[in-house]
Amino acid sequence: MHSSLMLVILIVIFAVIFDFINGFHDTATAVATSITTRALTPKNAIIICCIFNFLGAFTGTAVAKTVGDNIVSHTVTPQWVIMCVLIVSIVWNILTWYFAVPSSSSHALIGSLLGGGIAYNNSFSVINWYNLFHSVVLWLFLSPVIGFFVGYIIMNILNFILKNCKRHLVNKIFLKLQILAGAFMAFNHGGNDAQKSMGIITMSLLSGGLISSFKVPVWVVFLCALSLALGTSIGGKKIIKTMGSGMTKLTPVNGFAAQTGASLVILCATFFKAPVSTTHIITTTIMGVGASKRLKSVKWGVAKSIVWAWILTIPITAIFSALFIYAVKLFL
């Protein structure tokens, strides 16, 4: 029990670091468009993002159960493996931040968990492939596609409604509305993303025999909410630039459409207990908004490099995690 408690403490520390980096990495998810269109100053945008990320984390734990118990069971994943999974996820997040790639922290964690579970047990049967497909893989491809079309449709609806309005009036109104859209985006980001680390910590508590059923303790919810919020308070300027202006030129109404559309898709995914990538969704929603003007207005070269990062994240992190587990097993 003593060793289990010590490992849980280490896992909590690494989970907090992961959550902090996730927030740091994903600040762009909520604030990039608001800053680019000058609806908010960087300081005010990040403050709003921080507050609403924190509040959103208290909206539920269903996604946490998907991550922590429905893909790889705690019964076949000892605590030291969970710690290795977190280390690989953290390293991946730091690398993608350094190279300014809006990769998915969520899928890095899922990939690492898959690779760790398979390597430790030397078996593919430890993975619940049905849940993995329906809760992760399906949404991995579905949510960005939905995001693109939602952004495209919302922008076309707004263009139709506002076609006879003066541009300066539209900009003035949507600069204000973008603040609400950014807060809504941050709230849903917190509601989905914070639950992933909640799931991992609860998984370690179960694996160590410190709790008897998968129920996320209140202190875990608070800790994950706080670490995610603190991470977003620092922000990632490189990724903000890539997402805010690297793919298409945005106006206030474009920013509002992108943030609102992405928020709705994330909310829908959370309802279906799916741990989605908020980065993927906001990125494709921005692309959809840009495509509503004309297809050439989207910088498809930038978009192409981002798509490759999406496709490769899970298999690469799974391989890294498996190799790391095999290496650690040599010394145990």
Side-chain angles (χ1 to χ4, degrees), residues 231-264:
T232 57
S233 71
I234 304 298
K237 291 182 180 178
K238 288 184 178 181
I239 299 175
I240 287 173
K241 185 176 179 181
T242 301
M243 291 181 65
S245 57
M247 289 179 295
T248 188
K249 187 176 180 180
L250 296 174
T251 64
V253 68
N254 297 151
F256 172 82
Q259 288 172 314
T260 303
S263 298
L264 293 172

Side-chain angles (χ1 to χ4, degrees), residues 148-149 151-153 155-156 159 247-250 254 284-300:
F148 180 89
F149 284 106
Y152 182 85
I153 291 166
M155 195 62 242
N156 274 300
N159 284 335
M247 289 179 295
T248 188
K249 187 176 180 180
L250 296 174
N254 297 151
T284 54
T285 309
I286 291 171
M287 289 164 59
V289 167
S292 70
K293 303 174 188 177
R294 59 185 184 279
L295 291 176
K296 289 184 179 179
S297 68
V298 178
K299 297 177 184 177
W300 296 104

Side-chain angles (χ1 to χ4, degrees), residues 45-188:
I46 290 171
I47 288 172
I48 289 172
C49 180
C50 179
I51 292 169
F52 283 92
N53 262 292
F54 179 80
L55 295 174
F58 290 89
T59 55
T61 59
V63 174
K65 184 168 177 59
T66 297
V67 174
D69 205 41
N70 291 349
I71 297 172
V72 183
S73 174
H74 68 276
T75 59
V76 294
T77 316
Q79 290 172 308
W80 70 266
V81 172
I82 297 171
M83 188 165 65
C84 291
V85 164
L86 283 168
I87 292 170
V88 172
S89 303
I90 289 167
V91 171
W92 177 262
N93 273 354
I94 292 172
L95 287 173
T96 52
W97 164 78
Y98 181 79
F99 291 105
V101 178
S103 176
S104 168
S105 303
S106 308
H107 293 126
L109 185 61
I110 296 294
S112 300
L113 191 59
L114 293 175
I118 292 168
Y120 174 74
N121 294 279
N122 290 314
S123 173
F124 287 91
S125 63
V126 297
I127 308 299
N128 188 323
W129 295 103
Y130 178 86
N131 286 342
L132 176 67
F133 177 79
H134 285 86
S135 296
V136 179
V137 177
L138 185 63
W139 281 92
L140 167 66
F141 293 101
L142 194 62
S143 58
V145 173
I146 295 173
F148 180 89
F149 284 106
V150 168
Y152 182 85
I153 291 166
I154 289 177
M155 195 62 242
N156 274 300
I157 291 171
L158 288 173
N159 284 335
F160 178 78
I161 294 171
L162 303 169
K163 62 182 178 181
N164 295 320
C165 297
K166 294 180 180 179
R167 180 174 292 183
H168 76 276
L169 181 61
V170 170
N171 287 341
K172 185 177 180 180
I173 292 170
F174 279 91
L175 279 172
K176 303 297 182 185
L177 289 176
Q178 235 193 304
I179 298 172
L180 296 176
F184 187 44
M185 179 69 200
F187 185 80
N188 283 291

Side-chain angles (χ1 to χ4, degrees), residues 311-332:
I311 295 170
L312 296 175
T313 295
I314 289 181
I316 287 178
T317 51
I319 292 169
F320 283 170
S321 181
L323 292 174
F324 190 33
I325 295 299
Y326 282 131
V328 173
K329 283 171 76 174
L330 294 175
F331 297 97
L332 294 178

Side-chain angles (χ1 to χ4, degrees), residues 190-247:
N192 196 281
D193 269 41
Q195 291 195 49
K196 291 133 190 180
S197 48
M198 292 180 204
I200 291 295
I201 293 174
T202 308
M203 183 185 194
S204 72
L205 293 171
L206 268 173
S207 179
L210 299 174
I211 57 175
S212 57
S213 62
F214 196 97
K215 185 177 180 182
V216 182
V218 176
W219 67 267
V220 173
V221 177
F222 179 82
L223 192 63
C224 293
L226 183 63
S227 55
L228 183 71
L230 289 175
T232 57
S233 71
I234 304 298
K237 291 182 180 178
K238 288 184 178 181
I239 299 175
I240 287 173
K241 185 176 179 181
T242 301
M243 291 181 65
S245 57
M247 289 179 295

